[in-house]
Amino acid sequence: MKSYRKELVFNTPTRRAIINITGSVQRAIDESGIKEGLALINAMHITASVFINDDESGLHHDYEVWLEKLAPEKPYSQYRHNGYEDNADAHMKRQIMGRESVVAVTDGKLDFGTWEQLFYYEFDGMRDKHVLIKIIGE
Ligand code: ZN
């Protein structure tokens, strides 16, 4: 069995952002030479997510509105976690959207269902943040 590890780095100009990482993950699979196996892709921070869904701007806007209802960013004083930091909402949004995605690799390609794409969801950006890609197989 082969394995391959790679980190992606993001520094978004805004506090929150959604970035399609499908091409970057496919490049990592190409680099790995692995044809059959599994790819794990996870945010290496507790204020960011990796998820799979549609690359549709209306849906991405809807996520923003929905997450703001569940865990509003402001007022910062509503959260006990805030004090040194102001990112309690970011921890909660990450919890809802999840830490990682796992995708089957078949014939050297991400084996997606219809419309599935991989995204990095930043909830507390404007600094370097990392995503881990781990691919195992042969
Ligand atoms: Zn925090």
Side-chain angles (χ1 to χ4, degrees), residues 45-125:
H45 301 265
I46 50 182
T47 54
S49 292
V50 168
F51 71 97
I52 294 174
N53 216 299
D54 196 1
D55 193 1
E56 197 279 304
S57 59
L59 178 66
H60 294 180
H61 174 79
D62 294 339
Y63 281 137
E64 279 289 306
V65 172
W66 177 62
L67 291 169
E68 269 302 294
K69 282 183 197 162
L70 291 170
E73 179 187 338
K74 293 171 183 169
Y76 295 129
S77 61
Q78 72 189 304
Y79 299 109
R80 288 194 190 184
H81 178 70
N82 289 339
Y84 275 151
E85 293 186 299
D86 64 4
N87 66 0
D89 71 299
H91 289 279
M92 292 177 180
K93 286 163 177 151
R94 179 263 168 81
Q95 204 70 42
I96 293 162
M97 294 304 289
R99 172 180 182 267
E100 76 275 312
S101 294
V102 177
V103 185
V105 175
T106 303
D107 199 19
K109 302 288 178 209
L110 289 162
D111 199 343
F112 279 142
T114 308
W115 302 114
E116 284 190 324
Q117 295 277 291
L118 268 162
F119 298 92
Y120 175 67
Y121 204 158
E122 177 62 76
F123 302 116
D124 186 20

